[in-house]
Each structure stands twice: as structure tokens, then as C-alpha cells.
Amino acid sequence: MVEPLSITASSIDAGLLALPWSTPLDEWKSDHIVSLPKGLSRHLVRFANLSGRVVAVKETTGEMARREYEMLGMLARLDVPCVSRVAVIDGRRTPKGEPLPAALVTAHLKFSLPYRALFTQTLRPDTAGRLVDALAALLVRLHTVGFFWGDVSLSNILFRRDAGEFAAYLVDAETAEMHEALTNGQRAHDLSIATINLYGEFCDLEAGQLLDASLDPAKLVESILTRYRELWAELTGVEEFS
């Protein structure tokens, strides 16, 4: 007996049932797929139409999809900038009964672009500086609520103008952990991962001649870390009054 499709969602969109879950994601037809810029991912991710809006569909394991779904829910309740969760689809099978990966469905953030895509464009110095500030502010916000990301990268952060300001949003919470509070060691470890990932992606763009020639990977990463430390000190430092 074939197990029925399992859908986990706070409110189920009927349009979910119309998507071709019995077909591997890389074989979905163009009438379901939307072409939008995206970052690098260890899993297959595609954008799809769902009831007049665009969602991101990521194939992964059932356990990881449910874990990330819960993590995004926690971040949303804490009012942390991140993509909105839609559903977890599990129990997928082909018409022949062969098992398919589970899928995490999240809402596409309108008018946003992955940070990786932004740095393939010619950026004015002040624009690059504001992007750095927004990225650092997101990291500080995450760390203040006890969130250990474990996978900071240009591909896992979206940029969008918000009320005229530059804002950064978390996309991928697959490797994340939530704690009551982060220790200095945990923060340092997360920043170490960020340093390696960000520098690697900036160098990758530079090697492909996609990074603006005026931007230096090492200086970009250092400016992000410097701004992070400044913001962290402002938020957590002790003020003394005479």
C-alpha cells in the first residue's frame, strides 16, 4: 500500500496539491517553474508558481525539511528578517512507487536578490558599504536571539530595499541551531565559518571575472567583520555614566 502524501503547514494552500510532487524537481515542466536569480545550494532549488505567488521548492530529507521549517517559524516569531515558511511535503513517490526526496516550500521574498547576484554587478562604493552594513546587521540580530547559523554565505542571504533602507534576509536555516543565548565561543565559530564562506564566494566571483574590479575579497570580508564587531559592541556594551 502506497503511503499518502504528507503536508505539514500552518495553513494549507490548496494550490500545493496541484504541483507535480510525483515528479523529481529537476523534471518539473516550464508551466510550473519561474526563472529567478538564486544563489548556490547543496540541494536542488527551483522557483514555482503557487496560487498566484512564487515559492521556492528545495528537495532534501524529511528530517531536515521539518527541522528547517520549525527554525524559520521560530525566527519569524522573533521578528528576525527571513523568508516565510509555507510547507513541508513528504512521502513523495513516482507513479511507479519509487521514493522521492521531501521538499521544503518557502515564500519567495518579492523584489529581493541574492547577495551573490548583487556582487556580480557594478557597485558604487557607498552601495557596497550599505550592503556590508545590512549583512552585518543581520548577523548581529541573529546572534542576539541565540541563533547559530553555521552556514553564512552570499547565497544564503537576500537583499531588499525596505522603507528606503537596505535590508538583509536569511534564506537557508538548514544547519542552524537555536540557543537561549550564544557564548562568545559560539559567536566566534559562526563568524569563522562566515569568513571562510564569504571569502570563498567573493574569490569565486573574482576568478570568474564577475566581481567588480574595484572590490577586493579580503577587504570586503574584513569590512563585514569590522562592522559586525562595531554593531555588537553598540548593542551589548556597558554604558557608564558619571
Side-chain angles (χ1 to χ4, degrees), residues 15-34:
L16 284 169
L17 299 175
L19 291 175
W21 299 115
S22 60
T23 303
L25 186 56
D26 60 356
E27 296 178 13
W28 283 22
K29 303 298 182 184
S30 59
D31 53 341
H32 292 294
I33 296 301
V34 178

Side-chain angles (χ1 to χ4, degrees), residues 4 9 17 23 33 56 88 96 101 121 127 158 160 201-202 214 238:
L17 299 175
T23 303
I33 296 301
V88 173
K96 293 182 179 180
Q121 306 172 14
T127 300
L158 292 177
R160 185 173 73 173
E201 280 200 86
F202 281 131
S214 66
V238 178

Side-chain angles (χ1 to χ4, degrees), residues 182-234:
L182 293 185
T183 65
N184 287 336
Q186 287 171 320
R187 287 195 306 108
H189 183 38
D190 212 15
L191 290 177
S192 176
I193 294 171
T195 299
I196 294 169
N197 288 352
L198 293 171
Y199 182 70
E201 280 200 86
F202 281 131
C203 286
D204 181 48
L205 292 175
E206 185 180 53
Q209 298 185 328
L210 297 173
L211 186 68
D212 189 307
S214 66
L215 300 176
D216 176 77
K219 290 181 179 178
L220 281 169
V221 174
E222 184 54 41
S223 63
I224 292 168
L225 296 177
T226 297
R227 189 61 181 134
Y228 170 93
R229 296 185 188 106
E230 291 172 349
L231 290 171
W232 185 263
E234 289 176 16

Side-chain angles (χ1 to χ4, degrees), residues 3-8 66 87-92 103:
E3 295 182 3
L5 197 68
S6 169
I7 300 178
T8 302
R66 286 186 290 273
V88 173
I89 313 296
D90 206 354
R92 297 173 62 208

Side-chain angles (χ1 to χ4, degrees), residues 51-149:
S51 304
R53 58 175 170 157
V54 177
V55 294
V57 181
K58 176 170 71 174
E59 285 190 332
T60 181
T61 66
E63 181 182 356
M64 293 182 77
R66 286 186 290 273
R67 185 176 181 280
E68 187 168 0
Y69 179 85
E70 292 302 322
M71 195 67 67
L72 290 174
M74 282 191 281
L75 289 177
R77 288 190 290 273
L78 292 168
D79 198 29
V80 174
C82 65
V83 294
S84 300
R85 63 182 188 172
V86 175
V88 173
I89 313 296
D90 206 354
R92 297 173 62 208
R93 290 185 178 274
T94 67
K96 293 182 179 180
E98 299 166 339
L100 291 172
L104 173 69
V105 185
T106 56
H108 171 63
L109 187 65
K110 287 184 177 180
F111 314 116
S112 68
L113 282 172
Y115 256 69
R116 183 180 174 89
L118 287 169
F119 280 95
T120 64
Q121 306 172 14
T122 300
L123 297 173
R124 295 184 306 180
D126 64 316
T127 300
R130 293 176 71 185
L131 289 173
V132 163
D133 286 350
L135 194 160
L138 174 63
L139 281 175
V140 168
R141 176 69 179 127
L142 290 167
H143 286 174
T144 57
V145 299
F147 184 88
F148 176 88
W149 198 342

